[in-house]
């Protein structure tokens, strides 16, 4: 699943393709039915056409198009969603579900292999505020916030970090990488962590996310950018996907366990607390 750095990379690349452009058509391809469970495609057409994209932003793993007349188009790529730039005339791309066409005949496409991606149009972003904590690279995501959240969690720290109400944008890869960097065992009860550990963890989360953004994201689970290229961060990961290989710090063998159903990788020596 694309996590914060991958979505951030997509948003940055999308900016040049959509900013200040007027939407003139929405093309809907077969297999897109799941996208239109909440609203029919005709509703989206009516809401989008003749509106301009004034701004683009991201909160956690959500892409937010700020449209004229204070409407917001919100996309989530979920497991296998991706975006691409195209044109009005291009034939259907592989797994393409919808295409938003602009007045200059350029377009952006939303592709999804497993069809779990979502789109919605809203008049306020309150809906995101209700289900997401602060974005994990924002100033609001800080040690005070984390201390307050973790003390009431009854789960492991790994499970807590996957909770989007706590660390919006952090997913399986970066939760493992941050725990390794902070020398925290992913199974440690979240509420048992000391403030010093939480402070380190907060710094580690931001560090691994920002490093990955610099590397245009991690392409382990079929993530590709707008141009169909992979990121570079998969060559930099310390533990994720490295079970059976030596820890880059202590040479102990990285092990893989399951935490809340998610493959979790850690170094038993570096992360023994
Ligand atoms: Zn180690």
């Amino acid at each position: 699943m694309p996590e914060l750095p991958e979505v951030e990379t997509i948003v940055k690349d999308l900016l040049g393709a959509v900013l200040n452009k007027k939407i003139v058509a929405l093309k809907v391809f077969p297999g897109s039915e799941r996208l239109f469970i909440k609203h029919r495609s005709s509703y989206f057409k009516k809401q989008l056409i003749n509106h301009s994209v004034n701004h683009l932003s991201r909160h956690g793993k959500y892409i937010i198009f700020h449209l004229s007349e204070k409407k917001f188009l919100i996309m989530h790529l979920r497991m296998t969603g991706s975006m691409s730039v195209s044109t009005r005339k291009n034939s259907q791309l592989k797994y393409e579900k919808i295409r938003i066409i602009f007045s200059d005949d350029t377009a952006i496409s939303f592709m999804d292999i497993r069809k779990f991606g979502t789109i919605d149009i809203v008049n306020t972003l309150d809906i995101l505020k209700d289900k997401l904590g602060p974005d994990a690279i924002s100033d609001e995501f800080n040690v005070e916030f984390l201390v307050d959240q973790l003390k009431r969690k009854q789960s492991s720290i790994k499970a807590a970090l996957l909770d989007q109400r706590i660390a919006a944008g952090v997913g399986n890869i970066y939760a493992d990488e941050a725990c390794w960097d902070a020398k925290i065992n992913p199974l440690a009860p979240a509420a048992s962590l000391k403030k010093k550990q939480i402070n380190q963890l907060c710094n580690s989360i931001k560090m691994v996310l920002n490093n990955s953004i610099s590397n245009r994201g991690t392409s382990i689970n079929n993530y590709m950018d707008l141009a169909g290229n992979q990121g570079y961060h998969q060559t930099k990961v310390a533990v994720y996907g490295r079970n059976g290989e030596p820890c880059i710090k202590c040479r102990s063998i990285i092990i893989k366990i399951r935490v809340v159903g998610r493959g979790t990788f850690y170094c038993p020596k570096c992360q023994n607390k």
Side-chain angles (χ1 to χ4, degrees):
M1 176 192 279
E3 301 180 30
L4 188 154
E6 293 77 40
V7 179
E8 176 73 8
T9 304
I10 289 170
V11 166
K12 280 182 178 163
D13 288 357
L14 266 179
L15 261 174
V18 304
L19 205 58
N20 299 322
K21 288 192 183 178
K22 188 167 139 190
I23 299 168
V24 293
L26 175 70
K27 207 167 186 174
V28 176
F29 295 98
S32 61
E33 295 78 12
R34 280 183 64 114
L35 280 176
F36 302 109
I37 290 173
K38 212 166 168 185
H39 303 290
R40 289 161 184 266
S41 59
S42 56
Y43 172 84
F44 280 93
K45 283 181 184 170
K46 201 173 154 201
Q47 296 290 322
L48 289 174
I49 291 172
N50 286 325
H51 282 87
S52 299
V53 181
N54 291 339
H55 181 51
L56 200 60
S57 66
R58 180 191 56 72
H59 189 146
K61 303 172 195 172
Y62 286 85
I63 302 170
I64 305 163
F65 294 76
H66 301 241
L67 305 175
S68 48
E69 291 180 29
K70 289 195 173 164
K71 289 180 200 289
F72 303 94
L73 170 67
I74 302 177
M75 287 187 179
H76 196 300
L77 303 172
R78 299 285 166 198
M79 304 294 288
T80 55
S82 65
M83 307 274 314
S84 177
V85 283
S86 53
T87 67
R88 177 193 283 271
K89 287 182 183 152
N90 268 7
S91 50
Q92 185 183 3
L93 304 170
K94 205 171 181 186
Y95 305 115
E96 186 174 8
K97 298 294 174 270
I98 56 168
R99 184 180 301 180
I100 297 171
I101 299 164
F102 300 104
S103 57
D104 62 356
D105 282 350
T106 62
I108 55 168
S109 299
F110 178 93
M111 285 87 68
D112 200 358
I113 301 171
R114 291 179 62 187
K115 306 182 192 175
F116 291 126
T118 61
I119 57 168
D120 199 3
I121 291 187
V122 292
N123 293 316
T124 152
L125 293 176
D126 288 350
I127 187 170
L128 291 186
K129 284 185 194 137
D130 291 343
K131 56 180 166 188
L132 299 178
D135 188 78
I137 56 169
S138 70
D139 291 342
E140 291 76 44
F141 184 80
N142 53 41
V143 65
E144 288 76 24
F145 172 79
L146 257 188
V147 165
D148 184 54
Q149 293 291 316
L150 296 183
K151 71 182 177 201
R152 44 183 119 179
K153 274 304 247 195
Q154 295 193 321
S155 68
S156 64
I157 184 61
K158 170 73 187 271
L161 291 180
L162 294 178
D163 182 344
Q164 297 301 293
R165 288 166 301 180
I166 294 181
V170 172
N172 211 29
I173 297 175
Y174 302 103
D176 284 3
E177 292 295 301
C179 283
W180 177 81
D181 189 70
K183 299 188 171 69
I184 292 171
N185 190 294
L187 290 170
S192 74
L193 297 184
K194 307 272 185 298
K195 187 170 180 185
K196 196 177 160 196
Q197 288 177 296
I198 297 174
N199 188 46
Q200 176 58 56
L201 182 60
C202 187
N203 291 337
S204 296
I205 290 168
K206 288 175 191 280
M207 190 272 293
V208 297
L209 293 171
N210 282 315
N211 280 351
S212 180
I213 290 170
S214 305
N215 291 320
R216 299 186 58 78
T218 303
S219 291
I220 289 178
N221 303 320
N222 64 39
Y223 159 73
M224 287 190 293
D225 69 13
L226 273 194
N229 296 317
Q230 295 195 330
Y232 305 106
H233 199 69
Q234 60 276 14
T235 60
K236 315 279 184 198
V237 292
V239 286
Y240 189 85
R242 294 193 65 244
N243 48 316
E245 294 177 42
C247 171
I248 55 175
K249 237 182 244 167
C250 75
R251 311 305 292 169
S252 295
I253 298 300
I254 303 297
I255 54 177
K256 180 183 182 182
I257 55 170
R258 289 223 160 244
V259 180
V260 286
R262 310 294 299 275
T264 296
F265 304 85
Y266 74 102
C267 170
K269 193 170 171 194
C270 292
Q271 295 169 266
N272 61 359
K273 288 192 196 98

